[in-house]
Amino acid sequence: MINDIKVGALIAYCSIKRGNKKTLAFIVFVLSLIFLNLVFLPSMIGGLSGMFTGFMQDYPYGDIVIEPGGDNTYINNADNVLQIVRAVNGVRAATKRLDAAASIEHKQKVVGSTITGILPAEEYDISRYPYIISEGDFLGELSRDEIIIGAMLVEGYFGSEIYDNLGQVREGSLVDVTYSNGVKRTYKVKGIMEGTFEVVDLNALVHYKEIEDVYGLNGTEATRVVVRINKQGTEDIVKEKIISAGVKEPAFTWADKSDKILRQAMQSIGAINVMSKFVSLVVGAALILIIIYINVLNRKKEIGILKAVGITPGSIVLSYAFLSMFYVLMGIFVGLILYFTLMLYFQANPFRMYESIKIRPEIDYLFLIQNILTMLVLSVIAGILPAWMVSKESILKAIWGR
Amino acid sequence: MIIVKNLKRFYGTGANTVKALDGVTFEIKEGEIVAIMGASGSGKTTLLRILALLDDATEGVYTIQGLEVSSLPESERSYYRLTEVGYVFQDYALINEMSAAENVYVLSLMEGKSKKDSYETALEALAKVGLKDKHARIPDELSGGEKQRVAIARAIAKKPHILFADEPCANLDTTNSRQVLEVFKELNEKYGQTIVMVTHEPWHIEYVDRVITLKDGIIISDEREKTHPSS
């Protein structure tokens, strides 16, 4: 076996060293495209999927959301719930929010909206609200007569033409808000938030205390307790821990709470991704096999000669496995250069969906390693299979075709 | 050394059967140089390929040093080709991507010799055919005669008991042909190697001990030492 490996390596080495360099470059180029095909589309789909996931986690639901149980409008002991939740292992941060239905009016233009009362300082650890202010500033702890308006409610922003909007609202504009209980307040617009996501951009934010005052609450109520966890993917485990810790209100992961259409969309994207990976893998495997098979056929006479002079079929087969692995390793190397170049390009110039939704491909290193290993396994099979078939042929047929 | 009994090789079936060899029987003693001659299509190359274990006989028995090699499985035939038999092809059959030394060296490596020993063996064999200084050249950088000498070096490097050569001078001029035949003669005299050579050149018989002539797959004459230079 050692002799087979040594001889196989020598044959492969000579073939690479003195073989046709143009053919080698072409094979490597094709293999790099096969690799790129395997990893690029899933990265884009991963980016799209990650974007939707991110929307749900970054704004309305966090990783886990706790809501009032039964027919209750509020979680009545929200501070107690927060205390329990923050003590649970795996929880990174938690905050409470109060949602209220309201109408917002600006210069005779009225829109219906959900206004969420937040604790601004805590939102920095919970959501991306503080980071998506495209005009003005985010709320502060003393922001009692100020409001953040979603971009789709403001004329000129993406999506505003589709929905009713408040016209030319800008930082410093005054808007009148009528809450569902009839209480009216006037707020100065402190900022406009733009998340390119309806759930964010059709809503408005005020300080938690504002909603509390408007609805006459006593300081411990919340319509939601939003939780962020340390490690993505452990939502269900942490949710169970929260329930075990004594929280009586129902807890949901962001995925549980995603509405049906979005969940179906995510499932469809996931299915497309799986299919795309499978098809790419089959096409990749077939192409590698064809390339190596053509290569082996071109060297059929050489295989016959090697057999005729006493080189074992094992050495010959191994030489093609080495050769094939070399081609594929080079293809992966070039493919990785192409891949990361494309990733850099699309990070800087993301794909645009509905003009303002930007999809950036996601680099999943585990997925990359999986594909590299898959390609290497395929290369060994693709090298061994055709060489083994030809090495089984009679010497006379291999050398002289009869 | 070599005993061949009623060796037959047929191609095709029924009415289309071609009898390349039709019952050939002979013996070759150790250390003999034998020429197999005959017109084109007489079966001489077929016979040589079967003797060198490159092809199978349809019928008959073939033994080398008492071992019936005609019925050996492929793995043992491969080992036999590597260790006991050397074969020189008419069209050199060198690996184009290997240098002259590597074409020779690969067999010693296959036999289990170390890299260093294999390389030395290869250089020694190339020196025997006068090509030591061209050991790094690939076949495309060598002339026809030089290629054939590399092919001979490959065949003799492992010092096989039997050397088979299929028209080794077919593509060579007279000078190069004489060089090749001198090498064969020297190997035979120095190492007692048995050499079986297919040729169609009458003057080659100066270098052989015996001439077996085939016609239509059967032996029509088997003459010993008639025209050997020493006789």
Side-chain angles (χ1 to χ4, degrees), chain A residues 4 18 299 305 307-308 396, chain B residues 81 93 97 102 110 138:
Chain A
D4 284 349
R18 302 204 185 85
R299 292 160 183 270
I305 293 167
K307 267 185 79 178
L396 297 188
Chain B
R81 281 195 295 269
E97 287 149 355
E102 284 159 348
M110 188 78 254
I138 57 169

Side-chain angles (χ1 to χ4, degrees), chain A residues 87-304:
Chain A
V88 169
N89 188 22
V91 170
R92 178 164 58 81
T95 191
K96 59 184 177 180
R97 290 178 189 164
L98 273 170
D99 290 328
S103 62
I104 307 172
E105 187 180 348
H106 176 252
K107 292 181 180 172
Q108 283 85 50
K109 288 196 167 183
V110 182
V111 298
S113 178
T114 298
I115 298 184
T116 304
I118 58 167
L119 292 165
E122 291 184 359
E123 287 295 337
Y124 284 89
D125 289 332
I126 297 291
S127 70
R128 287 193 45 78
Y129 286 127
Y131 309 103
I132 56 165
I133 304 300
S134 57
E135 252 183 72
D137 293 308
F138 189 58
L139 298 172
E141 282 309 296
L142 302 174
S143 298
R144 291 300 302 273
D145 55 354
E146 293 174 317
I147 190 166
I148 301 285
I149 300 283
M152 288 180 189
L153 300 176
V154 179
E155 195 177 298
Y157 276 90
F158 167 73
S160 62
E161 69 281 6
I162 304 169
Y163 302 100
D164 292 337
N165 65 66
L166 297 169
Q168 290 291 328
V169 176
R170 289 289 172 261
E171 180 194 0
S173 300
L174 294 177
V175 294
D176 296 317
V177 173
T178 305
Y179 286 96
S180 59
N181 60 358
V183 173
K184 288 188 178 180
R185 292 283 167 96
T186 299
Y187 296 117
K188 189 167 83 178
V189 174
K190 189 167 188 195
I192 293 167
M193 59 181 177
E194 191 176 17
T196 62
F197 185 39
E198 278 92 338
V199 174
V200 176
D201 292 354
L202 288 173
N203 292 353
L205 303 175
V206 294
H207 196 288
Y208 174 88
K209 293 281 181 195
E210 263 312 298
I211 306 286
E212 202 176 61
D213 282 353
V214 166
Y215 286 90
L217 304 174
N218 61 18
T220 61
E221 290 92 345
T223 47
R224 272 181 286 165
V225 166
V226 180
V227 183
R228 295 310 293 256
I229 58 173
N230 286 323
K231 196 177 168 192
Q232 292 299 305
T234 61
E235 291 87 346
D236 286 315
I237 297 165
V238 178
K239 185 181 90 173
E240 289 309 315
K241 282 183 184 173
I242 289 170
I243 294 166
S244 304
V247 171
K248 299 283 183 292
E249 284 73 12
F252 306 94
T253 66
W254 67 269
D256 297 335
K257 285 302 291 180
S258 300
D259 68 51
K260 203 177 171 188
I261 291 172
L262 188 59
R263 208 155 51 218
Q264 280 177 349
M266 295 287 288
Q267 281 169 354
S268 301
I269 289 171
I272 290 168
N273 203 9
V274 169
M275 276 191 290
S276 148
K277 283 177 192 173
F278 179 72
V279 171
S280 297
L281 205 64
V282 171
V283 171
L287 281 173
I288 292 173
L289 201 71
I290 289 166
I291 289 170
I292 304 297
Y293 189 60
I294 291 170
N295 198 267
V296 168
L297 286 185
N298 283 335
R299 292 160 183 270
K300 205 170 163 182
K301 185 176 178 182
E302 187 179 290
I303 292 174

Side-chain angles (χ1 to χ4, degrees), chain B residues 124-138:
Chain B
E124 195 185 311
L126 285 168
K128 270 183 199 158
V129 294
L131 282 177
K132 193 178 178 183
D133 57 332
K134 293 187 177 175
H135 69 95
R137 296 204 183 170
I138 57 169

Side-chain angles (χ1 to χ4, degrees), chain A residues 21-36:
Chain A
K21 297 292 180 290
K22 283 180 188 166
T23 307
L24 174 67
F26 178 71
I27 290 173
V28 168
F29 177 66
V30 171
L31 288 170
S32 71
L33 292 184
I34 292 170
F35 179 74
L36 195 63

Side-chain angles (χ1 to χ4, degrees), chain A residues 356-375:
Chain A
S356 71
I357 296 179
K358 296 170 182 171
I359 304 167
R360 289 185 169 83
E362 229 172 45
I363 300 175
D364 182 344
Y365 288 99
L366 186 68
F367 177 65
L368 275 183
I369 291 167
Q370 277 174 353
N371 278 288
I372 289 170
L373 292 177
T374 307
M375 287 268 291

Side-chain angles (χ1 to χ4, degrees), chain B residues 1-5 24-30 32 34 63 210 212 219 222 224:
Chain B
M1 173 97 192
I2 298 174
I3 300 170
V4 173
K5 282 183 190 165
V24 172
T25 301
F26 61 88
E27 284 185 27
I28 295 174
K29 292 195 181 91
E30 192 162 358
E32 267 190 315
V34 180
T63 63
R210 179 179 166 197
I212 295 173
I219 294 174
D222 187 347
R224 286 175 188 273

Side-chain angles (χ1 to χ4, degrees), chain B residues 152-185:
Chain B
I152 292 167
R154 178 177 63 188
I156 63 174
K158 57 194 175 185
K159 297 187 179 73
H161 286 108
I162 313 159
L163 181 66
F164 295 103
D166 184 9
E167 300 202 34
C169 306
N171 299 315
L172 307 180
D173 58 21
T174 310
T175 311
N176 277 310
S177 297
R178 285 204 182 277
Q179 267 187 4
V180 167
L181 294 170
E182 289 296 339
V183 170
F184 285 172
K185 195 79 198 149

